[in-house]
Structures are given as structure tokens and as C-alpha cells.
Amino acid sequence: MDAIRKQASKLREQVARQQQAVLKQWYGGSDNLVADEAELQLHQRLEKLYISTRAGKHYQRDIVRGVEGYIVTGSKQVEIGAKLSEDSRKYGAENTCTSGNTLSRAALNFARARAQMEKEHGNLLKAFGTQVAEPLRAMVVGAPLEDARHLAQRYDRMRQEAEAQAIEVSKRQAKVRETPGNADNAMKFEAAEAKLHDLKTNMGILGKEAAAALAAVEAQQQRLTLQRLIAMVEAERAYHQIVLQILDQLEGEMISERHRIEAAPAPAPSVDESMPPPPSYEEANGVYASQASNGSTDSMGYFLGEVLFPYSAVSEVELNLSVGDYVVVRKVTNNGWAEGECKGKAGWFPFSYIERRERVLASKVAEVF
């Protein structure tokens, strides 16, 4: 359509130039030629303004469509993010993990941060709608642009009518020259000439009005569109800055939780409640040999073990252990107890609390006894 319009514009300009030559030949002066040149310049300016305002309108419409699509997609993202926030909050509030509540705290922190981010995202979408889409949409369908375009179209129709009238004047003049003294032909020529003059006068007035209206619309398009683009960039920039602050805080909280886990000592193995208590010394000294023959003990020979977890004795036959101590292990039962000596004291302790050592410094061996 643009190519056809440009071609039609060129054809009209050629016709206008031909009419200028004809009028110059009719009147033999330069005033009318100057007037036609001014009208041609006005016409060219109107053409440029019409094309410019149409392109501005299309660009505004493209922005509105893009923003509306962004809002639809963003609203779905906000909905999904809000659901994720709620699920994390529910887990953090209801978790009954027996090994600690580190993940619960992290889930609650994540839920809070996610909810804040989605709230800011929703505010961004509202700003896009009220500060960008609505003002531009109002201008696209607004009266100033349509009124200016209607003026330009009226001018174009009047210009075509003036071109046709100029041809009519040329025909009347030819008849007057062919039949000199014919009053009827002379009168018709004068009437056609007067009509052409009125059309050119009205066309000039209407063209100036249309040019002024289109120029005003063009300036408003440029100003408003730039303002809305800046508003969109500023709103999105502010949103990302806030989200970055939220994420920085969340990351710090989660890293702190991770460091707390890494720094915490490993939990001591639990003693199975079904595990029988350690045997008494009478059993150990008097009956132990018969138990060994029945398979209730594991004869491993004497060896050294390093204490990995502290153990507090709960009976007089048990041995207190501290992390890092070394124990001479003399007996190990199949039910999880071991008997040995540490720092001059003998007793029973859970075998899972120590780890066998093949090589030990001499100073450490001395500490055992």
C-alpha cells in the first residue's frame, strides 16, 4: 500500500507541474506559478506528516501489544511463583524432620523472599499497564490523530477536485479562443476560472489547517512515546534493583544455614533401645568364656580404637568416653558393646562410637594407660 501511495503521489506531483505550466501559459505572469509552488510544497509536507504520524501510530500500537502480552505472561509467572512460595512456607511450618530444622528455616526464608519478589513483579505489571499501555492506547484511538488525518484526507480530495477544475478551465479557454466573441463560452470560462480560484483558496486554507494539526499530533506522538518508554525502563530497572536486594539477602541467609550445617559436629550414632545392656563384671569375668563359645562375642584380639563420639556412662560397668581418646579394646560382643580400658579405667561402651586404628603415636598409647 505504501508503494502504491508513493506512486500516486508522484503522479499527482507530475500533474501539478503540468498544470503550473498551463497556468503560466494562460496568464503569462509569475504570481500564479509561485502560488502553485507553495501549494506543492504544502502538499509534500502533508504527505510526509501523514506518513510520519501513521508510523508513529503503528509503533505505539506495537508497544501496547507487546506490553499487554508481557502482562499476560507475567501474571502467569506471578501465579506460579506465589504457589511455589506457599508450598515452601507450608513445608517450613509443618516439617518434622528429626535431624534438625535447617531446611525448614531455609524454606521459610525462601518463601518470604519469593512472596516479596512476586509482589514486586505484580507492581511492575500494574505500572506497565497504567503508565505505558493505557496512555499509548488512548492516543492511538484518540480524536486528535483521527481529526488531523480527516483534515488531510479532505485536503487531498479538494486537491483532486482542483486538478480536475484546472483541466476544465483549460478546455473552456480553448473554446473561447476557437470562437472569439461568443458570450456564452466566455461566461462559462469565467465561471470555471472563478470556481478554480475558490477551490485553490479553500485548498490552501484547509492544507495549512491539516498540516498544523498533523504537526501537533506528530510532536505529541514523539513526546508521549518517549516518555512512556522511559517510564517502562525506569519501572523495570527499579523492579530488578529490589529483586536483587531480596536475592542478596536470601543468599546470605541460605549460605549462613549451610555454614551452620558444615560447622556442626556429626551426630553421635544412637544406641538401639532394643540392644541389651552390657554384661556385669561377674558375667564378663566368670561367664564370658562360655558366651564366647556359644557365639555371643566376637574374638578380635586386643587393638586400639579412637573415640569419634563422646559417650556418658549410664551404669557402673560402662566407660565414659571423650572425642579423641584412645581405648584398648579387649572384647567386642555381637550385640554392639565393646569392653576396654582408657586412662586407667575399664568398662563397656558402644562399639560404634570408636574407630579402629592400626598406627598410633607412642604418646597417645601412653595416655591410654
Short mmCIF file of all heavy atoms in Angstrom, two decimals, residues 2 7 14 39 57 73 82 95 118-119 123-124 133 137 141 145 156 162 182 207 219 293 312 320 332 348 358 365:
data_model
loop_
_atom_site.label_atom_id
_atom_site.label_comp_id
_atom_site.label_asym_id
_atom_site.label_seq_id
_atom_site.Cartn_x
_atom_site.Cartn_y
_atom_site.Cartn_z
N ASP A 2 1.97 1.22 0.74
CA ASP A 2 2.85 2.38 0.77
C ASP A 2 3.43 2.67 -0.61
O ASP A 2 3.55 3.83 -1.03
CB ASP A 2 3.99 2.15 1.77
CG ASP A 2 3.48 2.19 3.21
OD1 ASP A 2 2.39 2.75 3.42
OD2 ASP A 2 4.18 1.68 4.09
N GLN A 7 3.55 6.06 -5.41
CA GLN A 7 3.42 6.19 -6.86
C GLN A 7 2.31 7.18 -7.22
O GLN A 7 2.47 8.01 -8.12
CB GLN A 7 3.13 4.82 -7.48
CG GLN A 7 3.10 4.83 -9.01
CD GLN A 7 2.91 3.44 -9.58
OE1 GLN A 7 2.74 2.49 -8.83
NE2 GLN A 7 2.93 3.32 -10.89
N GLN A 14 3.41 15.24 -10.78
CA GLN A 14 3.64 15.47 -12.22
C GLN A 14 2.48 16.26 -12.84
O GLN A 14 2.69 17.19 -13.62
CB GLN A 14 3.81 14.14 -12.94
CG GLN A 14 5.10 13.39 -12.56
CD GLN A 14 5.19 12.04 -13.22
OE1 GLN A 14 4.29 11.64 -13.97
NE2 GLN A 14 6.27 11.31 -12.95
N GLU A 39 1.79 25.68 -2.97
CA GLU A 39 0.81 24.62 -2.74
C GLU A 39 1.46 23.24 -2.87
O GLU A 39 1.14 22.33 -2.10
CB GLU A 39 -0.34 24.77 -3.74
CG GLU A 39 -1.53 23.83 -3.49
CD GLU A 39 -1.30 22.45 -4.08
OE1 GLU A 39 -0.65 22.35 -5.14
OE2 GLU A 39 -1.76 21.46 -3.46
N LYS A 57 1.83 5.97 14.96
CA LYS A 57 0.65 5.25 15.47
C LYS A 57 0.91 3.75 15.51
O LYS A 57 0.59 3.08 16.50
CB LYS A 57 -0.55 5.56 14.58
CG LYS A 57 -1.80 4.76 14.92
CD LYS A 57 -2.93 5.06 13.96
CE LYS A 57 -4.17 4.23 14.27
NZ LYS A 57 -5.28 4.52 13.32
N THR A 73 1.74 -12.82 30.26
CA THR A 73 2.75 -13.82 30.62
C THR A 73 3.24 -13.61 32.04
O THR A 73 3.41 -14.57 32.81
CB THR A 73 3.93 -13.75 29.64
OG1 THR A 73 3.46 -13.90 28.29
CG2 THR A 73 4.95 -14.83 29.93
N ALA A 82 3.86 -17.47 43.26
CA ALA A 82 3.11 -17.42 44.51
C ALA A 82 2.80 -18.83 45.03
O ALA A 82 2.85 -19.08 46.24
CB ALA A 82 1.82 -16.63 44.31
N ASN A 95 7.28 -28.97 58.75
CA ASN A 95 8.31 -30.00 58.69
C ASN A 95 8.60 -30.56 60.08
O ASN A 95 8.73 -29.82 61.06
CB ASN A 95 9.59 -29.42 58.10
CG ASN A 95 10.72 -30.43 58.07
OD1 ASN A 95 10.49 -31.61 57.82
ND2 ASN A 95 11.92 -29.96 58.36
N GLU A 118 7.41 -11.75 43.99
CA GLU A 118 6.18 -11.82 43.20
C GLU A 118 5.32 -10.58 43.41
O GLU A 118 4.64 -10.12 42.49
CB GLU A 118 5.40 -13.09 43.53
CG GLU A 118 6.15 -14.38 43.24
CD GLU A 118 6.75 -14.42 41.85
OE1 GLU A 118 6.20 -13.78 40.93
OE2 GLU A 118 7.79 -15.09 41.67
N LYS A 119 5.35 -10.04 44.63
CA LYS A 119 4.62 -8.79 44.88
C LYS A 119 5.20 -7.66 44.05
O LYS A 119 4.45 -6.87 43.43
CB LYS A 119 4.68 -8.46 46.37
CG LYS A 119 3.96 -7.16 46.72
CD LYS A 119 4.07 -6.86 48.21
CE LYS A 119 3.38 -5.53 48.54
NZ LYS A 119 3.50 -5.20 49.98
N ASN A 123 3.53 -5.44 41.00
CA ASN A 123 3.55 -3.97 40.92
C ASN A 123 4.13 -3.49 39.59
O ASN A 123 3.67 -2.50 39.02
CB ASN A 123 4.38 -3.41 42.08
CG ASN A 123 3.73 -3.65 43.43
OD1 ASN A 123 2.51 -3.85 43.50
ND2 ASN A 123 4.50 -3.67 44.49
N LEU A 124 5.14 -4.22 39.10
CA LEU A 124 5.73 -3.86 37.80
C LEU A 124 4.70 -4.00 36.68
O LEU A 124 4.59 -3.13 35.81
CB LEU A 124 6.94 -4.74 37.51
CG LEU A 124 7.57 -4.60 36.12
CD1 LEU A 124 8.18 -3.21 35.95
CD2 LEU A 124 8.63 -5.66 35.89
N ALA A 133 0.80 1.21 28.72
CA ALA A 133 -0.20 0.73 27.76
C ALA A 133 -1.39 1.68 27.65
O ALA A 133 -1.80 2.04 26.53
CB ALA A 133 -0.67 -0.68 28.16
N ARG A 137 -2.44 3.62 24.25
CA ARG A 137 -3.68 3.15 23.61
C ARG A 137 -4.66 4.30 23.43
O ARG A 137 -5.34 4.39 22.40
CB ARG A 137 -4.32 2.04 24.46
CG ARG A 137 -5.51 1.38 23.78
CD ARG A 137 -6.25 0.44 24.70
NE ARG A 137 -5.42 -0.61 25.21
CZ ARG A 137 -5.01 -0.71 26.46
NH1 ARG A 137 -5.36 0.23 27.35
NH2 ARG A 137 -4.27 -1.70 26.87
N VAL A 141 -6.17 5.61 19.57
CA VAL A 141 -7.58 5.69 19.18
C VAL A 141 -8.17 7.06 19.49
O VAL A 141 -9.39 7.24 19.37
CB VAL A 141 -8.40 4.60 19.90
CG1 VAL A 141 -7.88 3.22 19.56
CG2 VAL A 141 -8.35 4.80 21.42
N LEU A 145 -5.56 12.58 16.59
CA LEU A 145 -4.95 11.93 15.43
C LEU A 145 -5.98 11.71 14.33
O LEU A 145 -5.71 12.02 13.15
CB LEU A 145 -4.33 10.60 15.85
CG LEU A 145 -3.74 9.75 14.71
CD1 LEU A 145 -2.64 10.50 14.00
CD2 LEU A 145 -3.23 8.42 15.24
N ASP A 156 -6.80 16.33 0.48
CA ASP A 156 -6.42 15.54 -0.68
C ASP A 156 -7.57 15.47 -1.68
O ASP A 156 -7.35 15.59 -2.91
CB ASP A 156 -6.03 14.13 -0.23
CG ASP A 156 -5.30 13.35 -1.30
OD1 ASP A 156 -4.31 13.88 -1.83
OD2 ASP A 156 -5.71 12.22 -1.60
N ALA A 162 -9.56 20.31 -7.47
CA ALA A 162 -8.94 21.48 -8.08
C ALA A 162 -8.18 21.10 -9.35
O ALA A 162 -8.20 21.84 -10.35
CB ALA A 162 -8.00 22.16 -7.09
N ASN A 182 -17.90 34.83 -28.63
CA ASN A 182 -19.02 34.02 -28.16
C ASN A 182 -19.20 34.30 -26.66
O ASN A 182 -18.39 33.90 -25.83
CB ASN A 182 -18.74 32.53 -28.39
CG ASN A 182 -19.96 31.66 -28.10
OD1 ASN A 182 -20.69 31.90 -27.14
ND2 ASN A 182 -20.18 30.65 -28.94
N GLY A 207 -5.28 23.04 3.70
CA GLY A 207 -3.97 22.41 3.75
C GLY A 207 -3.16 22.89 4.93
O GLY A 207 -2.48 22.10 5.61
N ALA A 219 4.30 15.83 17.00
CA ALA A 219 5.07 16.25 18.17
C ALA A 219 4.59 15.55 19.43
O ALA A 219 5.39 15.11 20.27
CB ALA A 219 4.98 17.77 18.34
N SER A 293 32.07 -69.20 73.61
CA SER A 293 31.96 -70.48 72.92
C SER A 293 30.61 -70.64 72.26
O SER A 293 30.46 -71.41 71.32
CB SER A 293 32.21 -71.64 73.92
OG SER A 293 31.21 -71.61 74.93
N SER A 312 28.57 -40.98 77.58
CA SER A 312 28.46 -40.86 79.04
C SER A 312 27.92 -42.16 79.60
O SER A 312 26.87 -42.66 79.14
CB SER A 312 27.54 -39.70 79.42
OG SER A 312 28.06 -38.47 78.95
N ASN A 320 33.15 -43.94 80.47
CA ASN A 320 32.99 -42.61 79.87
C ASN A 320 34.03 -42.40 78.78
O ASN A 320 35.22 -42.72 78.97
CB ASN A 320 33.15 -41.53 80.94
CG ASN A 320 31.98 -41.50 81.91
OD1 ASN A 320 30.82 -41.59 81.50
ND2 ASN A 320 32.27 -41.40 83.20
N VAL A 332 34.67 -57.56 72.13
CA VAL A 332 33.57 -56.98 71.35
C VAL A 332 32.46 -58.01 71.25
O VAL A 332 32.71 -59.16 70.82
CB VAL A 332 34.02 -56.56 69.93
CG1 VAL A 332 32.85 -55.99 69.16
CG2 VAL A 332 35.16 -55.58 69.99
N TRP A 348 32.47 -50.94 79.74
CA TRP A 348 31.80 -51.22 78.46
C TRP A 348 31.38 -49.90 77.80
O TRP A 348 31.10 -48.92 78.47
CB TRP A 348 30.56 -52.08 78.69
CG TRP A 348 30.87 -53.45 79.21
CD1 TRP A 348 30.96 -53.85 80.50
CD2 TRP A 348 31.12 -54.59 78.41
NE1 TRP A 348 31.27 -55.18 80.61
CE2 TRP A 348 31.37 -55.67 79.30
CE3 TRP A 348 31.20 -54.84 77.04
CZ2 TRP A 348 31.66 -56.95 78.86
CZ3 TRP A 348 31.47 -56.12 76.60
CH2 TRP A 348 31.71 -57.16 77.50
N GLU A 358 45.26 -48.64 63.28
CA GLU A 358 46.38 -49.58 63.13
C GLU A 358 47.67 -48.96 63.65
O GLU A 358 48.53 -49.64 64.20
CB GLU A 358 46.53 -49.98 61.66
CG GLU A 358 45.32 -50.70 61.09
CD GLU A 358 45.08 -52.04 61.77
OE1 GLU A 358 46.03 -52.61 62.34
OE2 GLU A 358 43.92 -52.51 61.74
N VAL A 365 49.49 -43.75 73.02
CA VAL A 365 49.40 -45.03 73.68
C VAL A 365 49.63 -44.85 75.17
O VAL A 365 48.95 -45.47 76.02
CB VAL A 365 50.40 -46.03 73.09
CG1 VAL A 365 50.39 -47.36 73.87
CG2 VAL A 365 50.09 -46.28 71.63
#
